């Protein structure tokens, strides 16, 4: 029967071996990082957790598995491996049905395992440590949940939902499946592996921590799926508190007996790295944006997998496998001698190597250090095989009556010499890494670097450090000149109090930094000239470019600078799609107030700009067009603007007659300003964001209208509507998750995808303006632009009143010279102009409301006035 047990453990060896092979050939394996992580986490760890929890359940409940139970375990292990294999094939090949099938099979096997635990619990007599089985059952319940999240990720999601489900999936599997199983096991396993007495509080602390851990998991998953990631980070923190509460019972056994063997030391190191990963994950989930969360998650995955999971599994196996062989202490000692071989050196290389990898070393130094760490981890496999072979030989020797091959007292495997050997090995690895990239260490000798065109450039060994300041919309200096082979490091400081900036050169980029902050950009050894720029939308077009001139060759400019690196295809939309939100066009009512206070919040969020088309809009108060303000001459307006976005924003009220220096200044994210003005002249006025590039900020949605009536007011009419025309420059994005920012290069090229009323194309065809026959209807019209004019026209209607830019052209059919009986057909407005028209429909019907620049009407500047009897 032990042969069958070994056969099941062979599955674990297979997954670990496969992960090592992928690590070696990762450059040629699709989705190699994902595959390495899941070969360990889904393959090796999930298999191990089922085997271990079955073993501890039987031990604690004192149940004896029969031959049938062992056959069932073999079948379950085989099916579990098949399910994992389906996932390993399905995800890299983008075959979603295979991935889904694998997730279902894995979930079914874990639930089958949980059902057997429930059966054993019901059969067993009452006893201690039943809390351990509750942990195992709760952990198993999280597997189908986490597998479902994983299958959803494999289906393919936009950035927003991908980030949400990524956090939900990883935390469900790591904290739910692995974490709960580990806590339940450590109650008894930790003092056992240390060969010392258990803390008397262990069972009680495990019971107390159980609801805390479940609460933390629920908050983490809920916050992730709701897209409120700070809440998810809080959930991770609650889970960490639960671990700390339980972890107090692990300290006393450690005080009783410090680790002397590889097994407890490796498990302890894994637990410590788990706390590091837990804190790092919480911070990253709280702070990262959608793209950054997924992009930078690989580093956290490395900490979880190498620091925590691999050290956990190798440590546990180093204790359990020799014990599982049987044959008494002498057989265990024979096997353990190999499991403990070079223990201190291996542990030093793995853990100190992990610390070094997290430091800002050169890429080659990271490669050599990580390779050494991988070798130290991989040594477990041959040592395990050698240990099992030694155990088998010792078992036969015992049966033959021979003397033990090893003394009864096990030596201390964690020696100082092993520590020194591990440090020395890492020092050699660093030396090799710096030797392959001498510029990173300031060394003068290096291998040549191949330049474009096939020429080799020998590194000079010279490090060129340049201090660059981001000032307004430029870099100072805007270029540097270096020699081929120089190693260039740029230290960027943002001195602009109003904007975040960054610098991207080639495929490396600094983080976005605020005023007074500094970031370093290591370009490595330069072989040819190159141009970089600030990636904040519009800043490159405003002149924030930086040239690295190598030799005497100027850098070639990118012929197609676009925002954010997206492939900007024209957006056409789906004319049959139903808009999720219609902007209310009804003008705000008049009030008797003489002081008007408003709170404006600048945000950046995905909004629908046409049926079936989404864009990440820059907004005042979260809509595609800002709120309409209304007052009369002599009134005071006080607007408090708060920047809740990720870049600088501002506001400019054309209705105010003020010096622009202070009230119209750009404010950085998190800042607030107060804009106060007196309305001195009547008119229909534009307001907009005045931050450069102004065209991009206006086109992205940061505009609105202000209605200022004369002191006596304009004549009362039956219905009043506000129409703000603007242009939309966007990318084909069918969902909010796919939405991206505006492309300033297309604004400059004056190629709008849509021309819209109140921020959304054709919205008033879906929900028309309404009126009744005989009612007087007034349309306030403002053209926000940024570039195109308007000829506002109502098909089938005539205007008896036309007001443009502060004065009447017609008033009830009377022109400025007293002539009567006149009418108007269109209100012609240039960008930033405003006015109003009035009409009284005489028949029921559907009256198209259009910009009579017909190409723009066909781009979306179109609505309907529905007139009923």
């Amino acid at each position: 029967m032990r042969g069958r047990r070994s056969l099941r453990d062979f599955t674990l060896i297979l997954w670990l071996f496969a992960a090592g092979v992928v690590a070696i050939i990762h450059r040629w394996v699709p989705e190699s990082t994902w595959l390495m992580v899941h070969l360990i986490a889904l393959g090796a760890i999930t298999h191990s957790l089922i085997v271990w929890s079955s073993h501890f359940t039987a031990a604690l409940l004192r149940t004896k598995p029969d031959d049938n139970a062992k056959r069932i375990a073999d079948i379950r292990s085989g099916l579990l491996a098949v399910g994992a294999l389906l996932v390993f094939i399905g995800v890299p090949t983008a075959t979603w049905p295979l991935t889904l099938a694998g997730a279902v099979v894995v979930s079914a096997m874990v639930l089958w395992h949980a059902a057997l635990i429930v059966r054993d619990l019901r059969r067993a007599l009452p006893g201690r440590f039943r809390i351990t089985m509750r942990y195992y059952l709760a952990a198993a319940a999280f597997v189908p949940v986490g597998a479902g999240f994983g299958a959803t990720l494999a289906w393919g999601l936009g950035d927003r939902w991908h980030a949400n489900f990524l956090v939900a999936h990883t935390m469900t599997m790591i904290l739910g499946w692995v974490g709960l199983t580990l806590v339940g096991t450590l109650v008894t396993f930790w003092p056992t592996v240390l060969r010392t007495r258990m803390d008397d509080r262990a069972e009680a602390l495990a019971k107390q921590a159980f609801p805390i851990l479940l609460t933390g998991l629920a908050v983490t998953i809920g916050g992730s799926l709701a897209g409120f990631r700070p809440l998810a980070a809080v959930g991770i923190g609650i889970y960490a508190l639960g671990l700390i509460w339980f972890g107090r019972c692990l300290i006393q056994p450690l005080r009783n007996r410090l680790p002397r063997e590889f097994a407890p030391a490796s498990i302890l190191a894994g637990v410590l790295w788990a706390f590091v990963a837990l804190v790092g994950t919480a911070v990253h989930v709280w702070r990262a944006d959608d793209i950054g969360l997924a992009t930078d998650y690989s580093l956290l995955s490395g900490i979880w997998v190498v620091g925590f999971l691999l050290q956990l599994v190798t440590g546990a196996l180093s204790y359990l496998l020799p014990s599982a062989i049987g044959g008494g202490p002498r057989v265990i000692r024979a096997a353990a001698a190999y499991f403990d071989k070079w223990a201190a050196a291996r542990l030093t290389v793995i853990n100190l190597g992990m610390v070094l990898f997290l430091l800002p070393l050169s890429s080659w130094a990271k490669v050599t250090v990580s390779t050494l760490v991988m070798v130290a981890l991989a040594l477990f496999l041959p040592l395990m095989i050698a240990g099992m072979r030694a155990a088998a030989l010792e078992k036969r020797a015992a049966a033959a009556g021979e003397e033990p091959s090893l003394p009864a007292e096990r030596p201390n495997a964690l020696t100082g010499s092993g520590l020194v050997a591990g440090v020395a090995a890492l020092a050699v690895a660093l030396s090799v890494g710096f030797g392959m990239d001498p510029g990173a260490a300031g060394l003068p000798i290096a291998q040549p670097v191949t330049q474009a065109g096939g020429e080799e450039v020998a590194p000079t060994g010279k490090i060129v450090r340049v201090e660059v300041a981001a000032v307004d919309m430029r870099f100072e200096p805007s270029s540097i000149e270096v020699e081929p082979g120089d190693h260039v490091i740029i230290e960027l400081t943002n001195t602009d109090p109003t904007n975040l900036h960054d610098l991207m050169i080639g495929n490396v980029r600094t983080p976005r930094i605020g005023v007074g902050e500094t970031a370093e950009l290591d370009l490595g050894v330069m072989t040819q000239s190159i141009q970089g720029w600030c990636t904040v939308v519009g800043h490159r077009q405003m002149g924030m470019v930086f040239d690295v001139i190598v030799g005497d060759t100027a850098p070639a400019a990118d012929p197609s600078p676009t925002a954010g690196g997206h492939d900007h295809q024209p957006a056409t939309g789906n004319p049959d799609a139903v808009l999720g939100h219609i902007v209310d066009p009804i003008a705000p009512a008049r009030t008797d107030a003489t002081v008007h206070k408003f709170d404006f919040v600048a945000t950046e969020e995905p909004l629908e700009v046409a049926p079936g088309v989404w864009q990440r809009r820059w907004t005042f108060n979260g809509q595609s067009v800002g709120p309409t303000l209304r007052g009369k001459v002599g009134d005071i307006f006080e607007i408090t603007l708060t920047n809740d976005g990720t870049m600088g924003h501002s506001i400019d009220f054309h209705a105010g007659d003020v010096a622009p220096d202070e009230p119209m200044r750009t404010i950085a994210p998190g800042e607030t300003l107060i804009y106060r003005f007196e309305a001195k002249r009547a008119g229909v006025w534009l307001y907009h964001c005045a931050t450069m590039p102004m065209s991009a900020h206006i086109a992205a949605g940061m505009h609105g209208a202000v209605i200022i009536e004369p002191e006596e007011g304009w004549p009362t009419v039956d219905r009043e509507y506000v129409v703000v025309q603007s242009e939309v420059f966007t990318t084909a994005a069918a969902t909010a998750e796919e939405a991206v920012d505006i492309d300033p290069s297309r604004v400059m090229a004056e190629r709008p995808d849509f021309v819209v009323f109140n921020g959304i194309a054709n919205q008033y065809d879906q929900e028309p303006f309404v009126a009744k026959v005989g009612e007087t209807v007034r349309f306030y019209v403002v053209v926000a632009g940024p570039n195109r004019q308007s000829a506002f026209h109502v098909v089938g209607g005539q205007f008896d009143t036309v007001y443009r830019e502060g004065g009447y052209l017609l008033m009830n059919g009377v022109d400025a010279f007293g002539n009567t009986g006149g009418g108007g057909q269109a209100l012609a407005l240039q960008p930033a102009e405003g006015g109003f028209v009035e009409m009284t429909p005489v028949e029921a019907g559907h009256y198209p409301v259009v910009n009579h620049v017909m190409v723009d009407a066909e781009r979306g500047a179109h609505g309907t006035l529905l007139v009923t009897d």
Side-chain angles (χ1 to χ4, degrees):
M1 295 305 163
R2 294 194 183 278
R4 289 193 176 180
R5 186 182 187 93
S6 299
L7 182 63
R8 292 203 305 273
D9 291 329
F10 179 75
T11 305
L12 169 67
I13 299 171
L14 181 63
W15 291 135
L16 292 176
F17 180 77
V21 171
V22 173
I24 295 171
I25 63 172
H26 67 276
R27 291 182 180 274
W28 301 278
V29 178
E31 298 287 347
S32 59
T33 300
W34 178 93
L35 190 56
M36 283 187 287
V37 168
H38 286 78
L39 281 168
I40 294 167
L42 174 57
I45 296 297
T46 295
H47 171 87
S48 298
L49 293 181
I50 289 180
V51 173
W52 298 345
S53 53
S54 297
H55 169 77
F56 284 104
T57 297
L60 293 173
L61 297 180
R62 294 181 173 84
T63 59
K64 294 183 178 181
D66 54 22
D67 290 345
N68 185 56
K70 292 176 180 178
R71 280 194 296 271
I72 289 175
D74 283 339
I75 293 171
R76 186 180 63 228
S77 295
L79 291 174
L80 179 68
V82 169
L85 186 61
L86 290 175
V87 175
F88 298 152
I89 296 172
V91 171
T93 61
T95 309
W96 192 74
L98 278 183
T99 305
L100 180 61
V104 170
V105 172
V106 169
S107 299
M109 293 307 101
V110 174
L111 292 177
W112 185 8
H113 162 68
L116 294 177
I117 294 178
V118 172
R119 182 202 64 184
D120 292 343
L121 269 172
R122 289 175 176 173
R123 291 178 178 178
L125 295 173
R128 297 180 65 193
F129 305 117
R130 296 172 76 89
I131 184 62
T132 293
M133 272 56 75
R134 294 194 186 98
Y135 271 94
Y136 291 163
L137 293 174
F142 279 105
V143 171
V145 177
F149 294 154
T152 305
L153 283 169
W155 174 262
L157 302 170
D159 289 336
R160 180 66 173 172
W161 280 107
H162 179 86
N164 293 346
F165 271 83
L166 179 63
V167 175
H169 168 65
T170 54
M171 293 299 96
T172 300
M173 299 307 287
I174 293 175
L175 305 186
W177 172 226
V178 180
L180 293 178
T181 303
L182 176 62
V183 172
T185 301
L186 287 179
V187 173
T188 55
F189 186 54
W190 179 240
T192 302
V193 77
L194 281 172
R195 308 177 196 280
T196 188
R197 188 175 182 276
M198 180 189 301
D199 190 317
D200 294 334
R201 304 172 299 166
E203 186 175 12
L205 289 176
K207 291 179 180 179
Q208 294 163 9
F210 190 54
I212 302 175
L213 297 173
L214 293 181
T215 300
L217 273 165
V219 173
T220 300
I221 296 169
S224 301
L225 296 180
F228 187 40
R229 287 198 287 273
L231 181 61
V234 170
I236 297 172
I238 295 172
Y239 188 95
L241 290 176
L243 289 180
I244 293 170
W245 185 261
F246 164 76
R248 295 182 299 157
C249 71
L250 306 181
I251 298 173
Q252 188 59 49
L254 196 60
R255 288 175 176 170
N256 294 342
R257 193 172 191 270
L258 292 175
R260 293 167 48 86
E261 299 141 16
F262 178 82
S266 184
I267 293 171
L268 178 61
V271 170
L272 294 177
W273 277 112
F275 271 96
V276 172
L278 204 61
V279 173
T281 302
V283 172
H284 186 61
V285 167
W286 185 295
R287 298 177 59 181
D289 59 18
D290 297 335
I291 297 175
L293 189 144
T295 303
D296 299 333
Y297 218 59
S298 58
L299 181 61
L300 288 169
S301 299
I303 299 174
W304 280 115
V305 172
V306 178
F308 172 47
L309 295 179
L310 278 176
Q311 295 204 91
L312 171 68
V313 72
T314 54
L317 286 175
S318 296
Y319 180 85
L320 292 172
L321 288 180
S323 301
I325 296 171
R330 63 181 287 180
V331 176
I332 293 176
R333 288 196 302 272
Y338 283 91
F339 282 100
D340 287 341
K341 191 175 284 292
W342 310 311
R346 288 156 56 201
L347 288 167
T348 300
V349 167
I350 294 168
N351 292 282
L352 183 55
M354 284 281 294
V355 173
L356 291 173
F357 189 85
L358 296 176
L359 297 177
L361 301 177
S362 69
S363 59
W364 272 112
K366 285 180 178 286
V367 167
T368 54
V369 168
S370 60
T371 301
L372 185 61
V373 171
M374 187 177 71
V375 170
L377 288 165
L379 276 174
F380 173 78
L381 291 176
L383 290 175
M384 179 184 69
I385 294 170
M388 302 302 284
R389 183 174 179 274
L393 293 174
E394 191 69 22
K395 196 172 184 179
R396 285 199 292 268
E402 298 177 10
E403 291 294 320
S405 59
L406 295 172
E409 180 68 24
R410 289 179 63 174
N412 184 2
L414 305 180
T415 62
S417 59
L419 174 64
V420 172
V423 172
L426 286 169
V428 171
L430 285 173
S431 299
V432 172
F434 287 137
M436 299 177 78
D437 184 6
L443 302 177
I445 301 174
Q447 296 296 320
V449 179
T450 302
Q451 189 175 12
E455 299 180 13
E456 290 188 341
V457 176
T460 62
K462 179 182 179 182
I463 297 180
V464 179
R465 281 189 170 272
V466 182
E467 294 183 357
V468 177
V471 183
D472 295 328
M473 288 293 169
R474 65 186 186 279
F475 291 114
E476 292 183 355
S478 61
S479 65
I480 58 168
E481 296 182 8
V482 298
E483 294 300 320
D486 286 354
H487 186 137
V488 176
I489 299 175
I490 295 174
E491 186 176 283
L492 176 68
T493 301
N494 186 4
T495 63
D496 184 349
T498 63
N499 269 301
L500 301 179
H501 294 295
D502 63 12
L503 176 58
M504 183 172 76
I505 299 179
N507 60 357
V508 292
R509 180 177 71 85
T510 70
R512 291 185 179 179
I513 56 177
V515 62
E517 295 180 332
T518 298
E520 188 174 277
L521 192 67
D522 190 339
L523 302 183
V525 175
M526 300 303 300
T527 62
Q528 57 186 342
S529 299
I530 189 171
Q531 186 176 84
W533 56 85
C534 177
T535 68
V536 177
V537 177
H539 288 197
R540 182 182 185 183
Q541 286 74 18
M542 293 299 299
M544 291 200 76
V545 295
F546 184 86
D547 293 332
V548 181
I549 303 170
V550 179
D552 56 1
T553 305
D558 187 338
S560 57
T562 59
H566 299 284
D567 180 15
H568 288 266
Q569 300 298 323
T572 56
N574 177 8
D576 297 325
V578 177
L579 290 165
H581 174 70
I582 304 293
V583 176
D584 186 356
I586 297 175
R590 297 169 177 166
T591 70
D592 294 330
T594 58
V595 177
H596 309 271
K597 294 185 177 182
F598 300 92
D599 289 321
F600 275 35
V601 180
T603 63
E604 299 139 25
E605 52 194 275
L607 294 172
E608 210 167 3
V609 293
V613 179
W614 291 73
Q615 183 181 42
R616 188 169 181 259
R617 298 287 278 175
W618 308 349
T619 79
F620 292 122
N621 291 2
Q623 286 205 123
S624 283
V625 65
T628 299
L629 311 186
R630 186 167 188 168
K632 59 184 181 295
V633 172
D635 287 358
I636 302 297
F637 287 79
E638 184 178 293
I639 294 87
T640 300
L641 173 66
T642 300
N643 187 352
D644 199 21
T646 63
M647 66 188 79
H649 291 299
S650 60
I651 198 163
D652 171 7
F653 286 94
H654 290 197
D657 188 4
V658 298
D661 304 65
E662 284 299 313
M664 300 181 198
R665 71 185 187 277
T666 296
I667 57 174
E671 293 187 355
T672 296
L673 66 74
I674 295 178
Y675 192 126
R676 184 180 175 89
F677 68 90
E678 178 185 354
K680 298 179 179 178
R681 297 173 181 84
V684 184
W685 304 89
L686 172 69
Y687 69 84
H688 59 87
C689 179
T691 299
M692 294 297 178
M694 198 182 303
S695 58
H697 284 254
I698 293 174
M702 304 195 83
H703 55 257
V706 180
I707 300 169
I708 302 297
E709 299 186 65
E711 291 186 56
E712 65 278 9
W714 285 317
T716 300
V717 295
D718 298 297
R719 298 181 187 268
E720 294 182 309
Y721 295 109
V722 178
V723 174
V724 180
Q725 178 185 298
S726 63
E727 298 122 56
V728 172
F729 304 79
T730 188
T731 302
T735 66
E737 292 73 27
E738 297 171 355
V740 297
D741 287 309
I742 190 171
D743 181 353
S745 64
R746 294 177 65 193
V747 181
M748 295 176 69
E750 300 187 39
R751 298 196 305 269
D753 296 289
F754 302 101
V755 178
V756 300
F757 291 154
N758 294 341
I760 306 174
N762 299 105
Q763 61 178 320
Y764 302 119
D765 288 316
Q766 294 195 11
E767 290 192 15
F769 307 101
V770 294
K772 294 179 184 268
V773 171
E775 289 184 335
T776 299
V777 181
R778 176 182 294 155
F779 286 97
Y780 295 101
V781 184
V782 173
V783 178
N787 302 319
R788 300 189 65 80
Q789 71 276 19
S790 176
F792 184 83
H793 172 69
V794 178
V795 178
Q798 294 183 344
F799 306 139
D800 61 9
T801 298
V802 179
Y803 181 100
R804 179 177 179 270
E805 282 297 283
Y808 283 99
L809 302 180
L810 280 174
M811 185 175 183
N812 295 322
V814 181
D815 67 14
F817 301 99
N819 300 311
T820 61
Q825 58 195 310
L827 174 60
L829 298 172
Q830 292 294 322
E833 291 188 337
F836 64 82
V837 291
E838 296 173 6
M839 61 175 287
T840 304
V842 296
E843 294 182 359
H846 296 77
Y847 293 70
V849 178
V850 301
N851 176 355
H852 217 290
V853 179
M854 292 312 299
V855 67
D856 290 342
E858 291 160 6
R859 285 174 170 152
H862 190 289
T864 301
L865 173 63
L866 175 61
V867 178
T868 57
D869 290 324

